[in-house]
Structures are given as structure tokens and as C-alpha cells.
């Protein structure tokens, strides 16, 4: 309930703080808004991941309830498709663009065209990089999300009780290098884990620690699984046992667990499944958590992000300036982008009921309960 309340508060604050006139929105040629309050373009990176479908639905339904017409497109994780979709939306005369990018730095010329057509751009969840033509950023506090990924390992692996004589052994995975969120997730997690590395109670046998080495292009779980298999065969052939995995994304967590199971983890005495966190609270991971396999995940409630975005769009469409934004945290390389950053929640077996089922994020039936 807390997340929903918070998002409503954020939405209300945005409306209340709305003050001066900001934009004369979207001057595209003959907006095809179907006679509603205006056509809004929404682009999501891919339909093949559960979270983006929820995001797309939340934004579309919220805007439609307010009387807007929505052009919602999914880009199949293909940059050329995404640029074409945005070009088309500008031509159609959308009033505002909401963009969750694939490669945050690949859309500069589309953003320039949007600015020329006076179409405000909201960077959705992932920050659009290296462009001055980004007006707002709506996301979660990605550094804090990373911190929660670190906390999951600290708790799950009981790192506070670990000793240098008997160190805890982990391997690290990071998100897509072209997604700025990956930086926040990695930095947040590593800042939490650093004291344990410094004390020598936490070790990475492969030595693969740098974000550029442990990244997973396009968040591809199959690629991560291959890397996990290679790590297991290269560094864990003797009696070294992997105790934990830093994972920034539920499908990567599940693939890594598969790779571990394939070499006897979870079925051999002395080789329990490693402690693995994750992100997005997807159905398969919550099921795995309930089954005692994946240890935890980070829930970023897409309904809250959708609601905050809808309120922001509506505020701008009313010619008002949104208030209460963070104007220090997110520099995209060309400017500091005013941001609205929501909170996330760690989910373990203990709070699935309270934070996932009771809030309606997933129903008991979806979780097979
Ligand atoms: C999002 C995550 C998501 C990942 C893969 C990131 O930008 O913040 O929630 O798991 O992309 O889609």
C-alpha cells in the first residue's frame, strides 16, 4: 500500500506545485489525437520483458483515463526500430514524447527534431544521454536500487559474520553497458559491498569486477547464463564453492541459478544454491523466491512510475511547470535533467504477501498460490 500512497502523494505534489506556464506543447503537423485532449507518444524498449508491458499499460491506461489519445509502441530492443517509431510520432504531431530508450545515447537526432517541433521529452526509467533536448526524467532512485542489491547479499550471505579465514565467494553481473541505469545499480551495490571486500571477507575468484567486464548487453539472460557457465568451469572446478551472485535483473538471476543447478548446486551436499538477488519482481522470480531458490528481488512498482508519468504529462499539457523535482542527481552529459525519483522495495519470502500480493502487483493466482 505504501508505494501506491507514495505515488499518489507524488502525483498530488506535482499538481499542487504546478505554477507558471511552461510549454505550448507539441506543434507537430496536424496531431492525430482522435478528438481527445491530445496525442501522446509512448515508446517502450521491448515487449519481451514483463516489466515493460506493465509500464506501457500503466502509462497508456492512465493517460486514456484523463482523455488523452496514446500511441504506444514497443521497439523490439532494436535501435533502428525505436528511432523510426519516434520519427513517426513527431510527424504525427504528438504533444509529448515519453521514451524508455534501448541505447540511451542513440536518439540525439530524434530528440533534436522533437525540440525543434517544441515537443517536450520525458525520459522514462532510463536516462536519455548526451543530449540537451531531454526535459524530464521519471525513474526510481537507481543508486538506491543498487544499494538494495548490495543489501540483499549482505543479509542473504550474512556478510557481517564472515571472516577473512573463511571468506564468502561471489561472482558479479551488471546490466547493459548502454543503459545508464546499469551505472547506478553497479555503483550502489559496490559501495555497499566495498567494506567487505576491503576486510577480505568477500572474494571474487574470477577477478572480474569492473562494470565494463561484467556487463550484459541488452540485459540478455542467455548471454549471462553462458558467462556463468564459463565462470563455473574456469574458476570452480576444484572444491571452491560459489556462495552468492550479484545480479541486477531477475531473468539474469534465474539463468545464473540454472547454470549453477546444471553443475550440481542445490542437489549436492555442501553445494547449496548461491544467494542471488535481482530486480523487477517478475512472476517467475517471485515463484522462485517462494520455492526457496532465488533469494530476493527489488520491486520497482511500474504502476507508481506510470502514475507519476501520467501526472507529469497532464501537468505539462495544462501549460504548468511541475514542481518538487530533483535538480541535482542526474546529469546526462549535456545537462542536469530534472528528475522525479521513486522508491523501491526489497522482496524476500517474508514480504511477498504484504508487498506483492496485498498491493495487487501480482495476484496469488498469477503466483500459482
Ligand atoms: C530497468 C530495469 C530492467 C532493465 C532491463 C533497466 O533500465 O531499470 O528495471 O530490469 O532495464 O529491462
Amino acid at each position: 500500500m505504501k508505494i501506491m500512497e507514495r505515488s499518489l502523494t507524488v502525483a498530488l505534489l506535482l499538481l499542487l506545485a504546478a505554477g507558471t506556464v511552461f510549454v505550448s506543447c507539441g506543434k507537430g503537423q496536424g496531431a492525430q489525437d482522435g478528438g481527445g485532449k491530445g496525442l501522446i507518444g509512448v515508446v517502450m524498449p521491448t515487449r519481451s520483458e514483463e516489466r515493460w508491458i506493465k509500464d506501457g499499460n500503466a502509462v497508456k491506461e492512465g493517460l486514456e483515463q484523463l482523455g488523452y489519445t496514446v500511441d504506444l509502441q514497443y521497439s523490439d530492443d532494436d535501435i533502428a526500430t525505436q528511432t523510426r517509431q519516434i520519427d513517426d510520432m513527431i510527424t504525427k504531431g504528438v504533444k509529448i514524447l515519453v521514451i524508455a530508450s534501448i541505447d540511451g545515447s542513440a536518439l540525439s537526432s530524434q530528440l533534436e527534431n522533437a525540440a525543434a517541433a517544441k515537443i517536450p521529452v520525458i525520459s522514462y526509467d532510463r536516462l536519455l544521454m548526451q543530449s540537451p533536448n531531454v526535459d524530464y526524467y521519471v525513474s526510481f532512485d537507481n543508486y538506491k536500487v543498487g544499494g538494495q542489491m548490495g543489501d540483499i547479499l549482505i543479509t542473504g550471505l550474512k556478510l557481517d559474520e564472515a571472516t577473512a579465514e573463511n571468506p564468502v565467494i561471489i561472482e558479479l553481473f551488471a546490466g547493459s553497458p548502454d543503459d545508464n541505469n546499469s551505472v547506478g545499480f553497479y555503483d550502489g551495490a559496490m559501495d555497499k559491498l566495498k567494506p567487505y571486500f576491503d576486510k577480505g571477507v568477500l572474494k571474487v575468484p574470477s577477478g572480474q569486477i569492473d562494470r565494463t567486464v561484467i556487463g550484459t548487453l541488452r540485459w540478455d539472460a542467455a548471454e549471462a547464463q553462458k558467462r556463468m557457465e564459463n565462470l563455473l568451469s574456469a574458476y570452480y572446478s576444484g572444491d571452491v564453492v560459489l556462495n552468492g551472485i550479484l545480479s541486477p535483473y531477475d531473468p539474469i538471476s534465474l539463468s545464473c541459478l540454472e547454470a549453477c543447478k546444471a553443475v550440481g548446486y542445490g542437489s549436492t551436499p555442501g553445494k547449496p544454491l548461491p544467494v542471488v538477488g535481482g530486480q523487477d519482481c517478475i512472476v517467475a522470480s517471485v515463484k522462485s523466491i517462494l520455492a526457496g531458490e532465488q533469494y530476493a528481488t527489488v520491486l520497482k512498482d511500474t504502476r507508481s512510475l506510470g502514475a507519476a508519468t501520467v501526472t507529469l504529462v497532464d501537468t505539462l499539457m495544462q501549460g504548468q511547470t511541475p514542481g518538487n523535482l530533483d535538480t541535482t542527481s542526474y546529469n546526462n552529459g549535456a545537462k542536469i535533467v530534472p528528475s522525479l525519483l521513486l522508491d523501491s522495495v526489497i522482496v524476500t519470502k517474508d514480504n511477498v504477501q504484504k508487498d506483492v500480493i496485498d498491493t495487487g502487483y501480482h495476484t496469488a493466482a498469477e503466483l500459482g498460490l
Side-chain angles (χ1 to χ4, degrees):
M1 225 39 227
K2 230 156 105 208
I3 297 179
M4 291 303 284
E5 277 164 19
R6 202 172 293 128
S7 73
L8 285 177
T9 311
V10 167
L12 214 67
L13 281 175
L14 270 167
L15 278 176
L16 289 177
T20 52
V21 172
F22 171 61
V23 278
S24 66
C25 297
K27 294 239 176 71
Q29 308 88 343
Q32 299 167 7
D33 63 6
K37 276 162 81 176
L39 179 65
I40 310 297
V42 180
V43 195
M44 293 286 151
T46 175
R47 205 191 294 271
S48 68
E49 291 175 31
E50 195 175 300
R51 79 148 285 187
W52 300 112
I53 296 175
K54 278 179 172 276
D55 286 278
N57 291 342
V59 176
K60 187 173 185 324
E61 283 161 19
L63 287 171
E64 285 175 349
Q65 271 164 24
L66 294 183
Y68 296 100
T69 307
V70 179
D71 183 2
L72 169 63
Q73 300 289 336
Y74 286 88
S75 314
D76 298 332
D77 259 340
D78 180 56
I79 295 167
T81 301
Q82 187 157 72
T83 54
R84 189 170 22 79
Q85 288 166 335
I86 297 171
D87 285 339
D88 286 350
M89 287 178 178
I90 294 172
T91 307
K92 278 187 205 165
V94 295
K95 303 285 189 195
I96 293 182
L97 274 168
V98 176
I99 302 174
S101 56
I102 298 164
D103 177 336
S105 305
L107 300 174
S108 294
S109 75
Q110 279 64 39
L111 300 179
E112 218 173 294
N113 294 341
K118 297 206 166 24
I119 301 169
V121 171
I122 299 172
S123 190
Y124 185 92
D125 191 75
R126 298 174 173 173
L127 186 60
L128 291 158
M129 302 299 289
Q130 311 300 340
S131 167
N133 303 309
V134 186
D135 298 287
Y136 298 99
Y137 181 39
V138 187
S139 187
F140 294 83
D141 185 327
N142 296 301
Y143 179 79
K144 267 198 208 160
V145 172
Q148 290 173 317
M149 292 170 186
D151 284 338
I152 286 170
L153 292 184
I154 291 169
T155 312
L157 290 165
K158 299 191 171 58
L159 291 187
D160 288 317
E161 295 164 26
T163 60
E165 294 69 48
N166 193 13
V168 172
I169 303 296
I170 63 171
E171 292 293 340
L172 311 173
F173 286 74
S176 194
D178 55 5
D179 180 347
N180 184 62
N181 285 354
S182 303
V183 180
F185 302 152
Y186 176 83
D187 287 349
M190 294 305 275
D191 285 352
K192 290 275 181 157
L193 297 178
K194 185 170 183 304
Y196 301 95
F197 284 123
D198 290 348
K199 272 190 273 176
V201 302
L202 189 59
K203 301 251 186 244
V204 177
S206 70
Q208 296 178 15
I209 291 176
D210 199 83
R211 187 174 54 80
T212 53
V213 177
I214 62 168
T216 314
L217 187 64
R218 300 283 127 77
W219 302 88
D220 183 343
E223 181 189 318
Q225 182 160 349
K226 238 178 272 150
R227 180 167 169 259
M228 186 76 249
E229 286 162 1
N230 291 340
L231 290 171
L232 288 167
S233 66
Y235 301 97
Y236 296 85
S237 45
D239 50 9
V240 188
V241 173
L242 178 68
N243 306 126
I245 302 169
L246 175 67
S247 163
Y249 175 46
D250 283 342
I252 291 181
S253 316
L254 295 171
S255 306
C256 285
L257 284 172
E258 282 314 305
C260 291
K261 284 183 196 172
V263 294
Y265 282 87
S267 57
T268 313
K271 276 175 99 178
L273 282 176
V275 170
V276 188
Q279 176 179 211
D280 286 349
C281 197
I282 67 170
V283 168
S285 283
V286 181
K287 285 183 174 171
S288 173
I289 289 169
L290 292 172
E293 296 198 338
Q294 187 171 328
Y295 174 70
T297 183
V298 178
L299 164 62
K300 303 193 303 187
D301 195 321
T302 47
R303 297 168 302 179
S304 308
L305 193 60
T309 306
V310 167
T311 305
L312 178 56
V313 167
D314 195 42
T315 302
L316 297 175
M317 287 296 287
Q318 291 180 37
Q320 297 174 328
T321 305
N324 285 7
L325 299 177
D326 174 326
T327 51
T328 54
S329 298
Y330 279 95
N331 188 330
N332 77 347
K335 70 183 279 197
I336 291 181
V337 185
S339 306
L340 187 62
L341 304 173
L342 307 185
D343 285 330
S344 47
V345 176
I346 293 176
V347 173
T348 64
K349 219 174 188 166
D350 296 338
N351 62 334
V352 166
Q353 183 66 43
K354 173 175 156 284
D355 287 314
V356 180
I357 300 173
D358 292 350
T359 62
Y361 195 71
H362 297 312
T363 62
E366 280 172 318
L367 299 173
L369 298 172

